[in-house]
Amino acid sequence: MVYELTEQKKIGLGLIGFGIFFTFLAILLFFDRGLLALGNVLWLTGVTVLLGVRSMWNLFTNRGNYKGTLLFLLGLFFLFVRWPVIGIIMETFGCFLLFGGFWPTVRVFLCQIPGVGWIIQFLLW
């Protein structure tokens, strides 16, 4: 199975990468709220660019994903009311619930990356 990376998907993946980087940096800097907010905005924008607006809306409003959506949005709320540790924990669980069905696809994609693919195949199989 071959995945084609269009320019839009490359931009989406880049935004997701920057969002994860800023979130990780914020955690290293004792849960800096500004960096956490920036990481969340970049991550959400990247996922929206990668999937598309309609697919993203369907993902968050799907009846089976209400728990993940609620946890993610509560996590955002707790970030903005200055409880970043609880917010990050809730957002992480919400993301795992929302995007749990995508992990097999992500694994196949990562296995096709030339330098990293054989390491992932060695670790997963």
Side-chain angles (χ1 to χ4, degrees):
M1 186 180 311
V2 177
Y3 292 100
E4 181 180 341
L5 283 178
T6 62
E7 292 300 318
Q8 183 175 354
K9 290 181 182 179
K10 288 178 186 177
I11 291 170
L13 287 173
L15 287 171
I16 291 170
F18 278 121
I20 291 171
F21 171 73
F22 279 117
T23 302
F24 180 70
L25 186 63
I27 291 171
L28 286 178
L29 294 173
F30 303 111
F31 293 97
D32 181 49
R33 287 185 339 116
L35 287 175
L36 283 172
L38 182 63
N40 280 322
V41 168
L42 288 173
W43 185 83
L44 280 174
T45 305
V47 171
T48 304
V49 169
L50 185 67
L51 296 177
V53 176
R54 184 170 300 267
S55 296
M56 186 71 172
W57 180 259
N58 289 338
L59 177 71
F60 274 94
T61 59
N62 187 8
R63 188 167 178 85
N65 292 338
Y66 280 156
K67 287 181 187 177
T69 302
L70 182 66
L71 277 174
F72 186 78
L73 293 176
L74 276 174
L76 278 176
F77 173 75
F78 281 124
L79 282 178
F80 291 124
V81 296
R82 299 181 186 219
W83 290 359
V85 177
I86 295 171
I88 287 293
I89 292 170
M90 292 180 86
E91 278 186 2
T92 304
F93 284 129
C95 285
F96 281 128
L97 289 175
L98 279 172
F99 298 104
F102 291 112
W103 291 118
T105 306
V106 170
R107 185 181 59 176
V108 168
F109 173 74
L110 289 176
C111 287
Q112 292 179 355
I113 296 174
V116 181
W118 67 272
I119 295 172
I120 293 172
Q121 288 178 352
F122 178 73
L123 292 175
L124 294 178
W125 283 285

